Amino acid sequence: MKNNSTHERITEYTTDLRLTGIRSTYKELTKIAQEDDLSYEDFLQMLLQKEYDVRQVNRKKNRLRIANFPYKKYLDDLSVTDLPRDAQKKLKILKTLDFIKEGHNVILAGNPGTGKTHLAIALGIKACLEGYSVLFTTISSLITQLQECRSERTLRAFELKFEKYDLIICDELGYISFDKQGAELLFSHLSLRA
């Protein structure tokens, strides 16, 4: 049986190396390896698989957090019959997320309460879960950020950060009016994505 100093060193190493999956499961996996008489390679593979699984889950959580969704809405929760006819027809295509891979813009237009935001968030969450980096914002919030960055002379840094997202969801375009400067900033900023 291993002494406490070995366990302490393993805990110290896995903490320092940020191997949370291994740190939380190595005792259990060591016992399984001994009982099943696993080779060193199989044991190592099992440890690394646990670490990989934990990191995958954490990456998904992190992408969802960074996306800044106002609430969680999923495609399964979507009432397809409440969507406008065009959206109903294109939902199957949108669910593939090919528009992200191909760099196409998607514009959801329609009356209030027809599910545009729900659909946009649901597609964004699906994109996060499939490994894409996503940002959700409202147009008014985006214009405010652009104006603040321009006055603080950090606009270029903001633009570079903005370019790194695979998918950007800009909500509420038709609900707000903005001045000429805001419109120009928005247009030039969004044109960078093209």
Side-chain angles (χ1 to χ4, degrees):
M1 183 169 181
K2 294 188 186 335
N3 60 34
N4 284 341
S5 65
T6 301
H7 288 300
E8 288 168 6
R9 278 185 276 146
I10 291 171
T11 301
E12 181 183 324
Y13 294 151
T14 54
T15 301
D16 194 43
L17 294 171
R18 297 182 180 148
L19 300 172
T20 56
I22 292 175
R23 184 175 58 249
S24 64
T25 60
Y26 82 90
K27 287 181 185 178
E28 173 192 340
L29 296 179
T30 302
K31 185 177 177 184
I32 291 170
Q34 289 170 342
E35 289 171 358
D36 294 349
D37 196 28
L38 294 180
S39 68
Y40 292 124
E41 289 86 1
D42 289 339
F43 176 61
L44 178 60
Q45 185 273 328
M46 194 167 49
L47 276 175
L48 293 174
Q49 181 68 51
K50 286 294 183 183
E51 183 63 33
Y52 176 82
D53 293 344
V54 166
R55 288 185 184 214
Q56 288 299 100
V57 168
N58 289 340
R59 283 184 184 122
K60 287 177 184 178
K61 287 179 185 175
N62 196 37
R63 283 192 298 272
L64 288 169
R65 182 185 53 78
I66 289 170
N68 199 31
F69 296 113
Y71 44 83
K72 299 284 189 323
K73 291 287 187 178
Y74 299 91
L75 287 170
D76 292 342
D77 302 330
L78 191 64
S79 175
V80 178
T81 57
D82 291 339
L83 292 174
R85 292 222 186 278
D86 286 352
Q88 289 178 27
K89 290 176 187 174
K90 297 191 176 159
L91 184 59
K92 187 175 181 179
I93 296 166
L94 292 172
K95 283 181 176 182
T96 65
L97 302 179
D98 286 344
F99 66 93
I100 299 173
K101 295 174 203 154
E102 296 165 3
H104 292 219
N105 294 322
V106 174
I107 298 173
L108 304 175
N111 293 328
T114 54
K116 298 179 302 294
T117 300
H118 182 149
L119 178 57
I121 290 172
L123 290 170
I125 288 174
K126 180 176 171 70
C128 284
L129 297 176
E130 291 192 14
Y132 292 104
S133 59
V134 178
L135 174 67
F136 180 94
T137 186
T138 62
I139 290 296
S140 61
S141 175
L142 180 58
I143 290 173
T144 301
Q145 281 184 297
L146 289 169
Q147 289 172 331
E148 287 173 359
C149 288
R150 179 184 236 178
S151 68
E152 295 170 4
R153 300 185 190 275
T154 58
L155 189 56
R156 185 64 188 140
F158 183 75
E159 289 170 348
L160 291 172
K161 181 180 172 187
F162 198 77
E163 289 175 8
K164 291 182 180 177
Y165 291 102
D166 299 312
L167 172 63
I168 296 176
I169 302 168
C170 297
D171 198 22
E172 300 176 5
L173 177 61
Y175 294 121
I176 193 160
S177 59
F178 32 84
D179 60 14
K180 185 179 180 203
Q181 181 192 23
E184 288 172 358
L185 268 173
L186 180 65
F187 175 77
S188 64
H189 191 66
L190 292 179
S191 68
L192 292 172
R193 298 280 306 173

